[in-house]
Amino acid sequence: MEAPRPSLPWRVQTPRRWLELTDEPLDVGLVYDFLNRTDAGGIVLFSGTVRTYSSEMDQVSAIHYEAYLDLVADRLGEIATSIEETFEEVRSLVIMHRLGEVPTGASSVLVGCSAGHRDAAFGASRYGIDTIKVAVPIWKQEKNQQGAQWSSSATPLQDIPTPMKGSHG
């Protein structure tokens, strides 16, 4: 029997981990509340928002995101596990991406970590967003009043890199 395929909204949530793909607006306040823990001294929450321009298009009004859901779900889980195994001080983490049409000013991706100290929270969050950009199959089509075009800034899909732990473990 074949495993069920992910569909939207797709969510995996435990007391320490929240992974989600959705076509609904992302709630920054709700995510911050999830990350806020009494055993964490630092919270870093990155919100990638749709801006009104890109290197290829002026007057951007929205971005349409599409994804290969089967692989995205697996990859987000791998990224979360890598964060948890590398940054021991991480107490909780969130990785969310919005799919479908996202208007300018709205969040399209949220990556956040709470940790015992700020270095681990910053390092883990930075690793999370940087890895999503190169290792998760999500594509964007920029739109304005003249039409739409797929972004040419996408890079070939890479394996999930091992985080550089440095001094923030």
Side-chain angles (χ1 to χ4, degrees), residues 49-60 62-63 133 140-144 149-154:
T49 58
V50 176
R51 62 181 180 250
T52 58
Y53 66 92
S54 74
S55 61
E56 301 168 16
M57 183 180 280
D58 291 326
Q59 315 284 301
V60 173
I63 294 180
K133 297 295 272 182
K140 64 182 182 179
Q141 183 184 52
E142 298 166 333
K143 297 182 172 193
N144 67 12
Q149 67 183 30
W150 289 101
S151 175
S152 65
S153 65

Side-chain angles (χ1 to χ4, degrees), residues 17-167:
R17 179 192 280 198
W18 182 359
L19 310 177
E20 186 167 339
L21 295 166
T22 183
D23 54 4
E24 297 295 322
L26 303 180
D27 188 334
V28 174
L30 194 61
V31 169
Y32 184 87
D33 289 345
F34 177 83
L35 293 169
N36 192 11
R37 301 168 50 107
T38 58
D39 61 346
I43 298 171
V44 172
L45 177 55
F46 172 80
S47 172
T49 58
V50 176
R51 62 181 180 250
T52 58
Y53 66 92
S54 74
S55 61
E56 301 168 16
M57 183 180 280
D58 291 326
Q59 315 284 301
V60 173
S61 59
I63 294 180
H64 178 83
Y65 291 92
E66 290 189 12
Y68 177 39
L69 291 179
D70 290 338
L71 188 53
V72 170
D74 290 343
R75 290 283 174 106
L76 293 183
E78 290 175 41
I79 293 167
T81 297
S82 187
I83 288 170
E84 292 164 343
E85 290 176 351
T86 303
F87 301 91
E88 296 92 11
E89 286 192 52
V90 167
R91 306 294 191 251
S92 58
L93 66 90
V94 172
I95 303 173
M96 280 184 188
H97 209 295
R98 188 168 168 189
L99 300 176
E101 189 145 326
V102 182
T104 55
S107 295
S108 58
V109 61
L110 297 175
V111 177
C113 293
S114 62
H117 294 90
R118 71 179 178 275
D119 283 348
F122 274 111
S125 296
R126 176 70 185 251
Y127 166 79
I129 188 61
D130 288 350
T131 304
I132 287 169
K133 297 295 272 182
V134 299
V136 178
I138 297 174
W139 303 277
K140 64 182 182 179
Q141 183 184 52
E142 298 166 333
K143 297 182 172 193
N144 67 12
Q145 288 184 341
Q146 285 73 45
Q149 67 183 30
W150 289 101
S151 175
S152 65
S153 65
T155 59
L157 200 59
Q158 300 174 22
D159 290 334
I160 293 181
T162 302
M164 298 294 291
K165 187 172 174 182
S167 64

